[in-house]
C-alpha cells in the first residue's frame, strides 16, 4: 500500500478522493469543536498523514498486529450454517479471534503508535460497554502510557467485569455522572479532558466517528480487515465476494471491511443497525431508519434527535450498537447509494446468537449477531454459487450472562 493515496477513498475515476482536506465526505463530517481542540486536531491530522506515508510506521503497525493481536484473522467457510440456510456460501471474517476479543484492538494499536510518535505520555478514552476501554487500557499497558477511561456511571454498574479488567491493566476508570450517564456523556467528558490536557494527552477515540481526522484515521487502521478479506477470498475462491455484511455502531468494523471493496461495483454492502424493541423513538439505535442530519460531538451526520434537536434515548440488546449517531463516511455512502442499510431487532439478534453457536461452535458478540442475522436472511435469498462475507466483529463471552438472563425472561413470559 502506498502512502497518501492509500489513505483516501477512491470514489471512482474522475472524482476527488474523500474526505477533503477539512474532513468532509460530501456534506458529512467536518470538525465542529472549540478553538483549543481545533489546534490539537490539526496537529493530529498532520502527524497521522505524515506517519502513514512512512513505510516504517506501517510496517511496525503490521508487525504488532501480527505478534500481539494474531493477525491476519482467518476467513472461515461456515459449512454447516450454509447447508442449513440452503443458499449462498457464508464466510465469516473472524475478528472475534483478535487479542481482547474484537476488532477494536487494531485501532487502539494504531493510535497508540501515533501518540508515542507525537511524544504524548497519556491516553484518554471513552467507553460504553467497556470493550473500547479494555482495548485502550491494553495498549496503554503494552506501550507504557498513563491511561484514564471515561465511562458513564450507569455503564460502570452494568459492566463491572470490564471495569475490573481496565483496572487490572493499570488504567483509571473515571465515572461520568452527567446526562444519561452513558456513552454519549463519556465522550463529552473525554473531549473536555482533552481540551485541558492536549500537550501531554492523546484522545484515543474508539470508532470511525467524531471530528476530523478521527473518521479517516480509524477507517485507515481498520481497513486491514477488508484488505485481508479481499486477499483471502481471492486466494480461496479465485473471485470477489458478492456481498459483505457488518453491524454498525459508530461504524468502524463496517467501514474497515467495506472500504477496500468500494470500487468493486459487483460487491454489494450491507450495514446493519440495532432495531432494538421497535423503530419508535427511544426503542432502537437505527440512525438511518429514524434519524435526521445534525451535528453531534464534532461531526455532521445522521443523528437520532427530536424536531428541536434534542438527542433521543436509544436502546439495543447490544451495548456496542447503542448510540445516537453514526460515522460520517457511512452517512455519505448511504446517501450515495453505495452501501445499503437495514436493521435487525433484539429478538432476531438473540436468535442468530444461538444459531451460530449451535451450528458452528462459535459464540458471537451480540453486536456481531445483528450482522449474522441479516447475513442469514440474505443467504436464503441468494443462489448457492454466491459468496457472502459476514464480519464477525467480536466474540460473545462477554454477553453470555446477559443472554442467559434474557432467555430465561422469555421462557417466563411465553
Ligand atoms: C464496539 C463494537 C462494535 C461496534 O463498533 P463499530 O465501530 O461500529 O464497529 C461492534 N462489534 C463489537 C464486537 C464491538 O465491540
Amino acid at each position: 500500500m502506498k502512502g497518501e493515496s492509500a489513505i483516501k477513498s477512491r470514489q471512482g475515476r474522475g472524482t476527488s478522493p474523500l474526505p477533503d482536506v477539512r474532513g468532509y465526505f460530501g456534506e458529512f463530517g467536518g470538525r465542529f469543536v472549540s478553538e483549543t481542540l481545533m489546534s490539537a486536531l490539526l496537529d493530529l491530522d498532520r502527524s497521522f498523514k505524515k506517519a502513514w506515508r512512512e513505510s516504517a510506521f506501517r510496517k511496525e503497525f503490521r508487525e504488532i498486529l501480527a505478534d500481539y493481536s494474531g493477525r491476519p484473522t482467518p476467513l472461515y467457510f461456515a459449512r454447516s450454517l450454509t447447508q442449513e440456510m440452503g443458499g449462498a456460501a457464508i464466510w465469516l471474517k473472524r475478528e472475534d479471534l483478535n487479542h481482547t476479543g474484537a476488532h477494536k484492538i487494531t485501532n487502539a494499536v494504531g493510535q497508540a503508535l501515533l501518540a508515542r510518535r507525537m511524544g504524548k505520555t497519556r491516553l484518554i478514552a471513552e467507553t460504553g460497554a467497556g470493550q473500547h476501554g479494555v482495548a485502550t487500557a491494553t495498549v496503554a499497558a503494552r506501550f507504557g502510557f498513563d491511561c484514564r477511561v471515561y465511562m458513564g456511571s450507569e455503564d460502570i454498574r452494568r459492566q463491572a467485569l470490564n471495569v475490573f479488567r481496565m483496572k487490572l491493566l493499570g488504567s483509571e476508570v473515571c465515572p461520568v455522572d452527567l446526562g444519561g450517564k452513558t456513552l454519549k456523556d463519556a465522550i463529552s467528558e473525554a473531549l473536555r479532558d482533552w481540551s485541558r490536557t492536549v500537550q501531554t494527552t492523546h484522545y484515543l477515540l474508539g470508532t470511525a466517528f467524531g471530528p476530523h481526522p478521527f473518521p479517516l484515521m480509524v477507517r485507515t487502521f481498520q481497513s486491514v480487515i477488508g484488505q485481508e478479506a479481499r486477499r483471502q477470498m481471492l486466494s480461496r475462491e479465485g473471485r470477489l465476494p458478492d456481498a459483505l455484511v457488518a453491524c454498525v455502531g459508530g461504524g468502524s468494523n463496517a467501514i474497515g471491511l467495506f472500504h477496500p471493496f468500494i470500487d468493486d461495483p459487483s460487491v454489494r454492502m450491507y450495514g446493519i443497525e440495532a432495531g432494538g424493541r421497535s423503530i419508535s423513538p427511544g426503542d432502537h439505535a437505527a440512525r438511518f431508519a429514524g434519524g435526521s442530519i445534525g451535528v453531534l460531538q464534532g461531526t455532521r451526520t445522521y443523528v437520532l434527535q427530536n424536531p428541536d434537536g434534542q438527542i433521543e434515548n436509544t436502546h439495543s440488546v447490544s451495548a456496542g450498537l447503542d448510540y445516537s449517531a453514526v460515522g460520517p463516511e457511512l452517512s455519505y455512502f448511504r446517501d450515495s447509494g453505495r452501501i445499503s442499510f437495514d436493521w435487525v431487532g433484539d429478538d432476531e439478534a438473540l436468535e442468530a446468537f444461538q444459531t451460530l453457536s449451535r451450528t458452528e461452535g462459535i459464540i458471537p458478540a451480540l453486536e456481531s449477531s445483528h450482522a449474522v442475522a441479516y447475513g442469514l436472511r440474505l443467504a436464503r435469498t441468494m443462489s448457492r454459487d454466491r459468496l457472502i462475507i459476514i464480519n464477525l466483529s467480536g466474540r460473545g463471552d462477554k454477553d453470555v450472562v446477559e443472554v442467559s438472563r434474557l432467555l430465561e425472561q422469555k421462557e417466563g413470559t411465553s
Side-chain angles (χ1 to χ4, degrees):
M1 189 200 286
K2 284 198 205 69
E4 186 80 342
S5 64
I7 291 180
K8 291 176 180 165
S9 188
R10 299 146 297 166
Q11 318 293 318
R13 286 174 200 90
T15 49
S16 318
L18 294 179
D20 68 17
V21 287
R22 293 171 314 135
Y24 279 92
F25 303 88
E27 62 173 306
F28 300 102
R31 209 159 21 197
F32 296 85
V33 296
S34 68
E35 231 165 280
T36 345
L37 284 188
M38 187 60 95
S39 62
L41 291 168
L42 290 170
D43 194 28
L44 184 61
D45 189 22
R46 266 191 307 270
S47 304
F48 166 64
K49 284 177 179 156
K50 183 162 185 297
W52 198 251
R53 272 194 298 266
E54 291 175 16
S55 61
F57 182 85
R58 299 197 304 274
K59 180 160 176 281
E60 187 172 15
F61 176 59
R62 269 199 315 272
E63 284 172 356
I64 293 170
L65 292 182
D67 299 349
Y68 190 62
S69 190
R71 299 208 78 94
T73 60
L75 183 67
Y76 167 73
F77 174 48
R79 191 178 303 275
S80 309
L81 193 59
T82 297
Q83 264 161 14
E84 192 162 316
M85 295 304 131
I90 300 168
W91 293 71
L92 304 174
K93 182 59 174 158
R94 298 292 308 275
E95 292 301 301
D96 60 315
L97 294 178
N98 276 299
H99 180 43
T100 72
H103 66 293
K104 287 202 173 71
I105 190 75
T106 304
N107 168 52
V109 166
Q111 289 195 45
L113 281 174
L114 189 62
R116 191 182 63 185
R117 224 179 115 99
M118 293 174 75
K120 311 286 182 187
T121 55
R122 177 173 177 263
L123 300 177
I124 55 172
E126 82 295 341
T127 199
Q131 295 303 109
H132 174 57
V134 168
T136 304
T138 298
V139 297
R142 165 71 176 72
F143 293 95
F145 289 100
D146 290 334
C147 179
R148 172 186 276 188
V149 178
Y150 287 97
M151 189 169 185
S153 50
E154 186 54 26
D155 289 332
I156 288 184
R157 190 185 57 75
R158 290 188 292 200
Q159 301 290 337
L161 190 59
N162 274 339
V163 173
F164 178 69
R165 280 198 185 104
M166 289 183 261
K167 290 180 176 166
L168 189 65
L169 291 159
S171 286
E172 180 194 354
V173 180
C174 188
V176 178
D177 267 317
L178 304 164
K181 307 175 184 182
T182 59
L183 178 61
K184 178 167 66 64
D185 315 290
I187 296 180
S188 299
E189 205 51 33
L191 285 168
R192 225 166 280 142
D193 178 321
W194 202 31
S195 57
R196 290 191 303 265
T197 58
V198 287
Q199 293 302 328
T200 58
T201 299
H202 174 67
Y203 176 19
L204 208 164
L205 209 156
T207 186
F209 184 73
H212 182 63
F214 283 108
L216 165 68
M217 186 165 68
V218 177
R219 178 252 277 167
T220 303
F221 293 140
Q222 291 291 7
S223 288
V224 66
I225 302 172
Q227 287 154 8
E228 285 176 9
R230 200 170 202 290
R231 206 178 326 119
Q232 289 165 324
M233 190 54 107
L234 284 172
S235 109
R236 294 286 293 274
E237 292 290 312
R239 61 190 170 103
L240 292 176
D242 299 290
L244 307 174
V245 185
C247 66
V248 181
S252 69
N253 88 88
I255 197 69
L257 174 66
F258 297 165
H259 198 263
F261 296 92
I262 281 286
D263 285 338
D264 299 305
S266 69
V267 181
R268 283 150 58 195
M269 302 174 181
Y270 301 88
I272 308 306
E273 299 183 283
R277 289 180 289 254
S278 75
I279 302 298
S280 54
D283 267 359
H284 70 97
R287 290 69 43 107
F288 292 127
S292 52
I293 298 173
V295 171
L296 185 65
Q297 298 182 318
T299 193
R300 188 160 192 271
T301 189
Y302 277 87
V303 180
L304 290 170
Q305 55 190 343
N306 74 13
D308 300 329
Q310 289 287 103
I311 304 307
E312 276 166 7
N313 290 329
T314 50
H315 162 81
S316 169
V317 69
S318 74
L321 305 185
D322 197 351
Y323 183 57
S324 38
V326 61
E329 188 166 16
L330 289 180
S331 291
Y332 172 80
F333 283 124
R334 186 263 195 178
D335 279 12
S336 81
R338 179 65 188 93
I339 303 175
S340 306
F341 288 86
D342 206 334
W343 48 268
V344 158
D346 288 353
D347 288 344
E348 195 182 346
L350 274 172
E351 224 165 274
F353 180 94
Q354 297 169 83
T355 304
L356 187 62
S357 302
R358 178 174 49 76
T359 55
E360 295 289 345
I362 298 171
I363 303 176
L366 276 174
E367 290 82 5
S368 324
S369 300
H370 288 71
V372 173
Y374 191 84
L376 300 185
R377 263 198 238 167
L378 193 63
R380 285 189 288 248
T381 69
M382 292 167 72
S383 60
R384 285 165 200 264
D385 59 346
R386 299 288 166 177
L387 309 170
I388 296 182
I389 297 178
I390 300 173
N391 206 10
L392 207 64
S393 55
R395 66 174 181 232
D397 305 51
K398 68 183 177 63
D399 295 317
V400 289
V401 172
E402 177 67 1
V403 170
S404 100
R405 190 184 68 81
L406 290 168
L407 294 179
E408 267 167 37
Q409 207 174 49
K410 269 182 198 262
E411 254 160 45
T413 57
S414 65

